[in-house]
Amino acid sequence: MTYAAITSVASWLPERRLTNADLERMVDTSDEWIRTRTGISERRVADDADATSDLAARAGALALERAGVAPGDVDMLIVATSTPDMAFPSTACLAQAKMGLTCPAFDINAACTGFIYALELAASMIEANRLTTVLVIGAEVLTRLLDFTDRTTCVLFGDGAGAVVVQASDEAGVLSVHLGADGGGADLLTVPGGGSALPMTAELLSQGTQYIHMNGNEVYKFAVRAIPRVTKQALAESGLSLADVDWLVPHQANERITLTVGERLGISHDRVVNAIAMTGNTSTASIPLALDDLQRSGKLHAGDVLALVGFGAGLTYGAAIVRWTLKEA
Ligand code: UT7
């Protein structure tokens, strides 16, 4: 049996910081409100000259270097993003050229669950012996889709990229993945304008349809129900139980969501990875960013079991149960 295992993780963040104090000067908000309601202190903002593919290529190149994989040895590149450079070509093709890869490359859009969807694709193709090495990247420049006069959304999101190399292995790394989608909740989190449904016009621009629109309360309720459920489904499929989970690595959308789902699953706070404070919500990048933080903290050990769990627009959700096979650096 060929297994799929994560053989490196990396992340890349822009240098420019947007603090809660900066936002206090832009909209009617406060550092206290943002920190207590979300756990966010600051987020990063991409340079004007950079697009999502630039962030993706930097995180991807670092992940390849850490895995010791040459660009010519990558069999496939999957970029999960909610903020592609443009409708087409795919962000993956643009990042592929920037990294000097020659493999097939494509994007997937499952919003903030995109990284988990991409990991499932990568692991499945490896387990089917179709591919040996897949580079999976989650990358976003979400600040370009924010209305900086709307305090209900502009304080939440940030830019960044995270990547993993997934490779064929004798050791079981990706143990199970459970994915889900409920299009009935599609209207809860959208960027309505600019696609085929509402091609951009001056009027739509003046209405702000190019920006993120979110029913935060409903997405919150969905998240705290969906994360525990899908985590348990994925665990059951892996043959493990909650007691086996060493680390819960949820999509970083709100620290209150992260802590609530940890409590509902009976996983203690020190085993729930919280990485939102300095990045905000980075959508598809948030899980690999949090994983890279955990790895660099030195707390993650070979043999540890991780539950990586995403949720987001679509509505989509998904959980991957992963046994960490990398030795400490
Ligand atoms: O990755 C994509 C998934 N997205 C999410 O997971 C987001 C999920 N939702 C959330 O994280 C939370 O619902 C929010 C952080 C978006 C909002 O927190 P909340 O505790 O649900 O606040 P709320 O929307 O119920 O608003 C409470 C109050 C309102 O004022 P009133 O009506 O009570 O007077 C809002 O107008 O807070 C007000 N408010 C703000 N006040 C200061 C909303 N945004 C802000 C703000 N600063 N930035």
Side-chain angles (χ1 to χ4, degrees):
M1 163 98 192
T2 305
Y3 296 105
I6 293 175
T7 55
S8 76
V9 56
S11 58
W12 192 87
L13 289 168
E15 292 211 342
R16 195 175 359 159
R17 291 161 197 265
L18 183 67
T19 65
N20 292 351
D22 296 330
L23 286 162
E24 281 177 349
R25 289 188 283 275
M26 297 161 74
V27 285
D28 179 18
T29 191
S30 66
D31 173 53
E32 208 253 332
W33 191 96
I34 302 171
R35 274 190 296 101
T36 55
R37 297 290 181 124
T38 71
I40 301 168
S41 295
E42 63 178 50
R43 64 293 291 144
R44 301 296 181 95
V45 179
D47 281 357
D48 295 346
D50 280 345
T52 298
S53 63
D54 295 297
L55 277 61
R58 289 176 198 133
L62 195 54
L64 291 180
E65 190 189 310
R66 285 187 184 165
V69 171
D73 292 334
V74 180
D75 299 320
M76 186 164 276
L77 167 64
I78 309 175
V79 173
T81 184
S82 311
T83 52
D85 288 26
M86 56 191 91
F88 58 84
S90 68
T91 302
C93 283
L94 298 166
Q96 185 240 33
K98 287 170 185 169
M99 286 185 282
L101 307 183
T102 51
C103 60
F106 61 99
D107 289 359
I108 64 158
N109 178 352
C112 304
T113 320
F115 180 76
I116 305 294
Y117 271 67
L119 185 63
E120 165 71 332
L121 276 172
S124 306
M125 288 189 284
I126 289 168
E127 287 163 5
N129 289 310
R130 302 291 288 264
L131 306 171
T132 303
T133 300
V134 182
L135 177 58
V136 173
I137 304 175
E140 305 289 354
V141 180
L142 285 152
T143 55
R144 304 229 169 106
L145 297 187
L146 293 177
D147 175 357
F148 280 98
T149 65
D150 174 11
R151 69 177 184 174
T152 68
T153 51
C154 75
V155 303
L156 301 175
F157 298 93
D159 304 336
V164 294
V165 173
V166 188
Q167 291 186 283
S169 169
D170 300 335
E171 284 181 275
V174 181
L175 305 180
S176 67
V177 183
H178 192 98
L179 302 177
D182 173 10
D187 60 338
L188 296 178
L189 182 45
T190 63
V191 177
S196 61
L198 285 180
M200 199 44 78
T201 61
E203 194 190 350
L204 288 171
L205 262 184
S206 70
Q207 292 166 2
T209 60
Q210 69 277 32
Y211 297 129
I212 293 175
H213 293 252
M214 177 169 70
N215 182 333
N217 289 313
E218 288 304 314
V219 176
Y220 191 105
K221 283 188 233 161
F222 157 71
V224 295
R225 278 195 303 263
I227 299 178
R229 195 180 55 225
V230 74
T231 304
K232 287 179 194 163
Q233 283 164 325
L235 270 171
E237 286 159 22
S238 71
L240 298 180
S241 70
L242 277 166
D244 297 309
V245 175
D246 296 295
W247 302 103
L248 178 67
V249 188
H251 165 49
Q252 309 283 309
N254 185 326
E255 190 177 70
R256 285 190 295 143
I257 295 177
T258 314
L259 295 178
T260 303
V261 299
E263 279 159 24
R264 290 194 180 180
L265 287 167
I267 298 174
S268 62
H269 284 182
D270 59 333
R271 293 278 157 181
V272 180
V273 178
N274 250 309
I276 198 170
M278 308 310 272
T279 58
N281 179 345
T282 57
S283 188
T284 59
S286 90
I287 293 173
L289 270 166
L291 187 58
D292 191 34
D293 266 15
L294 179 65
Q295 151 94 343
R296 281 185 292 121
S297 74
K299 293 182 196 158
L300 184 58
H301 303 295
D304 281 1
V305 172
L306 300 126
L308 313 178
V309 196
F311 65 93
L315 297 165
T316 56
Y317 51 94
I321 308 302
V322 170
R323 191 180 293 282
W324 200 246
T325 51
L326 285 175
K327 307 282 175 286
E328 289 91 280

